[in-house]
Amino acid sequence: MKIFLDGAFVNKDDAKISVFDHGLLYGDGIFEGIRVYRKCIYRLEEHLERLWYSAKDILLNIPMTPEEMSEAICESCRVNGITDGYIRLLVTRGKGDLGLSPASCPRASVIIIADTIRLYPEEHYNVGLSIVTVPTRRSGPAALNPAIKSLNYLNNILAKMEAAQHGALEAIMLNDQGYVAECTGDNIFIIHKGKLYTPDVSNGALRGITRSAVIELAEKADIPVKECNLTRHEIWNADECFLTGTAAELIPVVKLDGRVIGTGKPGPLTQKLHAAFHEEVSTRGQML
Ligand code: PXG
């Protein structure tokens, strides 16, 4: 496997960064997770736009243009023979001195890993996930803006571990006000009386690329969509519930906190939207 590291392709075992990289020392950096479906890099432009927004937010100068980044991503897939897979793109603050200030880091580091991805076990797409609400909260915009896809994922990691302690693969994270924000690595949707609802991004949800795709696909299918405040009450009483993410795609949720949602089986609108999503993935994006 070849890794793109600061402008060159190096073997996996030689792909090393400095222990003085502020991405490692302080989690100072940003990332994207991107899928490739049948040689099509799904919604690459949207991922790059989000990356550049995250960079602007943390005053990080990405040492490449979006066009150069797009080409480096395509080349990472080509050199590794990846036609279906997962791309992990990182931009770290780069090497500097000890101390929080990025002033000592002259150049950001760019790392591109093109690999394959393990989704949730297949059975969960057929029977649905049972998830739980965990105590760890999603950080609010007044602390670390959750719209920044940063290398600081500790609260999401804690939430993921709390889910595992309850035998669940995913967890709902609430925001400071107690509204549902999202899951640890996925956005959440419910269907109630034929309408689709998802937490507004102001509740601490990442503006997920899959989330945006599902909203678009639902609107195309004449399913009304509302981005709003949601509490666990709405989720427990929903007809259907599902999660969205680059790795997960759309995955049904049939239980929250031990309470059955809807019929306890993946619902028809979830299945319809997942099918519509599959139809678009290899046609929407950058061809290799
Ligand atoms: N919320 C959070 C907090 C995420 O990190 C999503 C929602 C879904 O967004 P997309 O754009 O993928 O539809 C994410 C997704 C990884 C990795 O290892 C990436 C994510 C989550 C966990 C792991 O690349 N991001």
Side-chain angles (χ1 to χ4, degrees), residues 31-34 47 50 86-88 138 146 149 153 156 182-187 205-211 244-247:
F31 79 102
E32 282 293 322
I34 309 167
H47 280 285
R50 188 171 66 183
Y86 187 67
I87 298 151
R88 184 72 198 267
R138 189 74 171 115
K149 209 160 156 52
Y153 257 54
N156 295 46
E182 58 177 342
C183 290
T184 68
D186 299 302
N187 291 112
L206 182 77
R207 202 181 287 280
I209 306 297
T210 322
R211 176 184 181 279
T244 65
T246 292

Side-chain angles (χ1 to χ4, degrees), residues 14 19 22 24 48 59 64 70 80 82 89 94 98 102 113 115 124 134 136 151 187 223 229 239 265 270:
D14 302 320
V19 293
H22 281 210
L24 174 69
L48 292 183
L59 292 165
M64 296 168 84
S70 172
N80 288 296
I82 299 280
L89 167 59
L98 294 180
I113 305 166
D115 202 350
H124 292 296
V134 291
T136 300
L151 295 182
N187 291 112
I223 301 168
N229 294 342
D239 300 320
K265 296 208 169 69
T270 303

